[in-house]
Amino acid sequence: MDRYAMLKQRVYAANMKLTELGLVILTWGNVSEIDRENGVVAIKPRGIEYADLTPEDISLVDLDGHPLESGLLPSVDLDIHLELYRNFPGIGGIAHTHSTWATAWAQRSIDLPVCGTTHADHFYGDIPCVPYPSPEQTDEDYERFTGKLIVEEFHRRKIDPMQMRAALCSAHGPFTWGKDASEAVEFSYILEEVSKICKLSEQDGAVQRLPRHLLDKHYLRKYGDNAYFYQTK
């Protein structure tokens, strides 16, 4: 499995970045990345504190969740990641945290509204909060149904996962994704900050959503066909 050493290193580095950014404590999170050409997913192992994690500890599985080498068991959230990889073919990395501000929104079981241009620079609209699994789904396969509910909510609302790289799982916490593990973590960090900003904005009363023309301008100038925000596209 030496050919996957770089994949493991990237996933290890992304997981450690969560601690550096203050988005996780103890074992409260996980990051994965997929090698779509070979159908391999690398993910943080379950129940391992970040202080004890090494690149060699990162678990490798196929898209059915079967381990590809002996070693530590993958994250208990593996099936959530796999559901997203199977149904959102454009994504290459996923991050899950229980970061304070984003998790607080998830525990309110409401969408995170797009209140300002900071939010609109990165997420094209309100960040959806998806329902939690039913008692039957929880008993049958909690993690898989959690992933399915994210996918179903995006399909129901006709949300493009490449324009909305985040979801709040009701009463649980946030998931973010990107082109690779590193970008998924970046969106976790951004999500935490816009969650905090929006909540602080509510202190003196309800906040208004950003007008559509400003949402379009701020998101599309970075990610649209005629984007001009960066030095190069």
Side-chain angles (χ1 to χ4, degrees), residues 13-122:
N15 274 282
M16 298 310 293
K17 189 71 174 178
L18 289 181
T19 66
E20 179 184 330
L21 295 172
L23 298 175
V24 298
I25 63 171
L26 303 174
T27 66
W28 293 14
N30 43 74
V31 183
S32 70
E33 186 174 306
I34 185 170
D35 175 345
R36 289 199 178 272
E37 182 178 355
N38 295 295
V40 174
V41 173
I43 190 168
K44 180 183 179 289
R46 68 185 64 178
I48 302 298
E49 292 198 18
Y50 282 89
D52 299 325
L53 189 66
T54 69
E56 294 75 23
D57 291 332
I58 300 299
S59 300
L60 295 179
V61 301
D62 64 20
L63 275 171
D64 293 318
H66 300 135
L68 297 177
E69 60 182 12
S70 60
L72 297 172
L73 294 172
S75 168
V76 294
D77 292 324
L78 172 65
D79 284 341
I80 304 174
H81 291 241
L82 294 180
E83 282 296 323
L84 298 181
Y85 284 131
R86 284 193 287 259
N87 290 279
F88 296 165
I91 70 176
I94 298 168
H96 171 50
T97 75
H98 293 263
S99 60
T100 303
W101 293 92
T103 300
W105 277 100
Q107 291 183 176
R108 295 178 70 185
S109 296
I110 60 173
D111 293 355
L112 173 61
V114 53
C115 299
T117 61
T118 308
H119 180 136
D121 277 338
H122 304 283

Side-chain angles (χ1 to χ4, degrees), residues 3-228:
R3 62 177 174 156
Y4 295 121
M6 292 302 296
L7 176 61
K8 284 187 168 188
Q9 180 61 44
R10 290 196 302 273
V11 171
Y12 166 78
N15 274 282
M16 298 310 293
K17 189 71 174 178
L18 289 181
T19 66
E20 179 184 330
L21 295 172
L23 298 175
V24 298
I25 63 171
L26 303 174
T27 66
W28 293 14
N30 43 74
V31 183
S32 70
E33 186 174 306
I34 185 170
D35 175 345
R36 289 199 178 272
E37 182 178 355
N38 295 295
V40 174
V41 173
I43 190 168
K44 180 183 179 289
R46 68 185 64 178
I48 302 298
E49 292 198 18
Y50 282 89
D52 299 325
L53 189 66
T54 69
E56 294 75 23
D57 291 332
I58 300 299
S59 300
L60 295 179
V61 301
D62 64 20
L63 275 171
D64 293 318
H66 300 135
L68 297 177
E69 60 182 12
S70 60
L72 297 172
L73 294 172
S75 168
V76 294
D77 292 324
L78 172 65
D79 284 341
I80 304 174
H81 291 241
L82 294 180
E83 282 296 323
L84 298 181
Y85 284 131
R86 284 193 287 259
N87 290 279
F88 296 165
I91 70 176
I94 298 168
H96 171 50
T97 75
H98 293 263
S99 60
T100 303
W101 293 92
T103 300
W105 277 100
Q107 291 183 176
R108 295 178 70 185
S109 296
I110 60 173
D111 293 355
L112 173 61
V114 53
C115 299
T117 61
T118 308
H119 180 136
D121 277 338
H122 304 283
F123 303 105
Y124 200 22
D126 295 355
I127 295 168
C129 188
V130 308
Y132 45 73
S134 68
E136 294 76 19
Q137 291 169 333
T138 300
D139 288 343
E140 180 181 341
D141 198 334
Y142 172 64
E143 290 79 17
R144 183 170 64 88
F145 276 107
T146 298
K148 281 185 174 296
L149 287 166
I150 296 173
V151 172
E152 289 170 2
E153 192 71 9
F154 271 61
H155 288 168
R156 183 181 71 81
R157 300 198 203 184
K158 297 181 171 58
I159 298 173
D160 183 349
M162 301 313 297
Q163 294 182 333
M164 178 55 63
R165 297 176 178 88
L168 303 176
C169 290
S170 186
H172 184 175
F175 283 83
T176 59
W177 47 83
K179 65 185 178 183
D180 54 25
S182 178
E183 188 174 75
V185 169
E186 180 178 321
F187 277 103
S188 286
Y189 189 37
I190 296 167
L191 174 60
E192 180 68 359
E193 289 303 302
V194 298
S195 298
K196 180 178 181 180
I197 292 167
C198 189
K199 185 58 183 173
L200 292 173
S201 298
E202 284 191 329
Q203 287 184 339
D204 294 322
V207 295
Q208 294 185 342
R209 280 180 171 78
L210 190 69
R212 182 72 196 204
H213 68 281
L214 288 177
L215 170 61
D216 289 345
K217 172 55 72 175
H218 275 263
Y219 186 84
L220 296 175
R221 72 177 183 165
K222 293 187 77 170
Y223 299 108
D225 292 338
N226 298 310
Y228 61 90

